[in-house]
Amino acid sequence: MQAEPHLIFPADGRYVLAGSRVPAELVLSPPAGVSADDEGLLRLDVLIDQGRIAGLFQAGMAPETIKHVLLDGRNLWPALIDMHTHLDCGQVIPRVRPDGTLHGGFSRTAIDWERWTDEDMALRMEFGLQCAYVHGVSAIR
């Protein structure tokens, strides 16, 4: 089996996430012989092809001809999707202090608008995107 000791993903986009632990609730049809452990996790090899799940195998049973990325029991979760974000309004605290109400959020953020240059907004939005990425967000609306 071709395996890497750390997380290196092959350029061709086809690889196995070997020895992952996946929440059982996320797997509609686990492979035969796989059942959840005491924490509700399934031990799986997950075949990825071009960014999509192409197959699930009992840990250690994925085809050896495909490059393996060893997860060694690390948890594997789907990425998060942020369904409602105002990147243009983010990162203005402590410049303004909203009071927790919708009106307060809008009216107090409006006070800060005079500082909103293209450079200021680009920096704040980039920081917001980086924070989302680091915390597992794959899409923002």
Side-chain angles (χ1 to χ4, degrees), residues 78-85 132 135-141:
L80 303 171
I81 297 174
D82 188 334
M83 294 299 296
H84 188 108
T85 297
H135 290 283
V137 175
S138 67
I140 294 177
R141 179 179 176 271

Side-chain angles (χ1 to χ4, degrees), residues 36-88:
D37 63 16
D38 292 341
E39 296 178 321
L41 300 170
L42 303 172
R43 192 71 183 254
L44 299 173
D45 289 347
V46 180
L47 173 61
I48 304 294
D49 191 2
Q50 302 302 317
R52 296 184 182 270
I53 296 172
L56 299 174
F57 303 88
Q58 182 175 356
M61 301 302 289
E64 293 183 8
T65 56
I66 302 169
K67 180 162 180 127
H68 282 56
V69 178
L70 299 179
L71 293 188
D72 294 324
R74 290 182 181 97
N75 286 325
L76 184 60
W77 288 78
L80 303 171
I81 297 174
D82 188 334
M83 294 299 296
H84 188 108
T85 297
H86 295 271
L87 287 171
D88 61 327

Side-chain angles (χ1 to χ4, degrees), residues 2-134:
Q2 186 180 2
E4 294 292 333
H6 45 74
L7 301 178
I8 297 175
F9 298 95
D12 69 359
R14 187 170 170 82
Y15 52 91
V16 173
L17 297 173
S20 65
R21 292 170 27 136
V22 179
E25 295 85 13
L26 300 179
V27 180
L28 295 177
S29 299
V34 177
S35 58
D37 63 16
D38 292 341
E39 296 178 321
L41 300 170
L42 303 172
R43 192 71 183 254
L44 299 173
D45 289 347
V46 180
L47 173 61
I48 304 294
D49 191 2
Q50 302 302 317
R52 296 184 182 270
I53 296 172
L56 299 174
F57 303 88
Q58 182 175 356
M61 301 302 289
E64 293 183 8
T65 56
I66 302 169
K67 180 162 180 127
H68 282 56
V69 178
L70 299 179
L71 293 188
D72 294 324
R74 290 182 181 97
N75 286 325
L76 184 60
W77 288 78
L80 303 171
I81 297 174
D82 188 334
M83 294 299 296
H84 188 108
T85 297
H86 295 271
L87 287 171
D88 61 327
C89 299
Q91 318 307 322
V92 296
I93 297 172
R95 297 188 325 199
V96 297
R97 291 282 183 192
D99 62 7
T101 66
L102 180 61
H103 176 72
F106 179 78
S107 64
R108 294 189 183 173
T109 300
I111 294 168
D112 196 54
W113 286 349
E114 64 189 40
R115 298 181 189 182
W116 291 17
T117 63
D118 290 346
E119 182 181 8
D120 173 66
M121 285 187 65
L123 286 171
R124 290 186 292 107
M125 292 173 81
E126 179 63 27
F127 182 74
L129 289 171
Q130 288 178 4
C131 288
Y133 176 77
V134 166

